[in-house]
Amino acid sequence: MKTIGVVDTTFARFNMGRAAVDEIQQNVSAKIKRITVPGVKDLPVASKKLIEEEGCDIVIALGMPGAKEQDKICAHEASTGIIQAQLMTNIHIIEVFVHEDEGRDEKELAFLMEMRSREHALNVVNMLFHPEKLVKQAGTGQRQGFEDVGTLRH
Ligand code: RDL
Ligand code: RDL
Ligand code: RDL
């Protein structure tokens, strides 16, 4: 059986990991290893440990960069680390970031955090079990959370 790693943060203002686990369980039967770390900068090593020590075949790493300038820098550093962990392990770590200032208000932010977590969880399921489904979506302007933007030419 394939194993999917799920790592999220206590910094986030919505339980992104729970949404991702729920979406995975609704779509596929896989083993899930879930952990939670304090913030986005802790996601890279947590993901790498899920891969190397827990045998995960893919990982979904979820977090919420805050709205301040130092949070944006922190998020960029976290992203760089997540990419490095992928290159070191040759395993995908799907990064699900929702910036706190992407929502107009708390209601929209919560909606976005839930929907982006779920839509990327589905991407993870498809990457692992149905990669041909992503090829079918090539060039279609998919977005996670808000509306897809669509293709330029049919
Ligand atoms: O290793 C402990 C912390 O440094 C780590 O958890 C950081 O990711 C925490 N953190 C910040 O220090 C910060 O300035 C976070 C943010 N901003 C942020 O915007 N989002 C986070 N963590 O998830
Ligand atoms: O690992 C899953 C995603 O984080 C990853 O696919 C990103 O490349 C998706 N992405 C963004 O998160 C973003 O803020 C993309 C863009 N911007 C972008 O401008 N173009 C992309 N992806 O192809
Ligand atoms: O065009 C509006 C948004 O798509 C754009 O602002 C994106 O950069 C928003 N975004 C992120 O900032 C991010 O860190 C997205 C993702 N991750 C993502 O994974 N998928 C998105 N947008 O559709």
Side-chain angles (χ1 to χ4, degrees), residues 2 28 58 92 122-138:
K2 300 273 192 193
V28 82
I58 193 164
H92 282 288
L122 204 51
N123 277 336
V124 163
V125 167
N126 287 335
M127 285 175 79
L128 196 55
F129 294 97
H130 314 286
E132 73 287 351
K133 286 194 184 171
L134 287 173
V135 177
K136 276 218 175 94
Q137 292 182 354

Side-chain angles (χ1 to χ4, degrees), residues 22-122:
D22 182 64
E23 191 66 30
I24 293 165
Q25 286 175 338
Q26 280 185 35
N27 282 283
V28 82
S29 129
K31 212 160 126 190
I32 294 175
K33 297 261 179 192
R34 181 177 176 188
I35 55 165
T36 299
V37 294
V40 290
K41 280 204 272 191
D42 311 311
L43 293 171
V45 73
S47 302
K48 185 165 172 281
K49 282 164 71 74
L50 282 172
I51 293 163
E52 293 181 347
E53 297 173 11
E54 306 289 339
C56 289
D57 298 289
I58 193 164
V59 172
I60 181 167
L62 312 106
M64 188 204 74
K68 299 202 176 116
E69 184 58 27
Q70 65 262 37
D71 297 324
K72 309 265 179 209
I73 294 167
C74 187
H76 179 258
E77 289 163 345
S79 266
T80 307
I82 289 171
I83 291 167
Q84 204 181 335
Q86 294 181 79
L87 296 173
M88 288 172 84
T89 56
N90 237 13
I91 293 279
H92 282 288
I93 301 166
I94 295 303
E95 178 201 282
V96 187
F97 281 4
V98 176
H99 298 256
E100 195 175 11
D101 52 9
E102 275 189 83
R104 267 172 309 175
D105 50 37
E106 295 197 347
K107 194 166 159 245
E108 190 179 76
L109 181 62
F111 166 85
L112 187 58
M113 292 180 83
E114 167 148 31
M115 294 313 289
R116 187 168 294 162
S117 301
R118 288 184 180 278
E119 288 187 41
H120 268 315
L122 204 51

Side-chain angles (χ1 to χ4, degrees), residues 140-143 146-152:
T140 57
Q142 298 294 312
R143 296 294 184 272
F146 291 133
E147 286 286 291
D148 297 338
V149 296
T151 193
L152 298 177

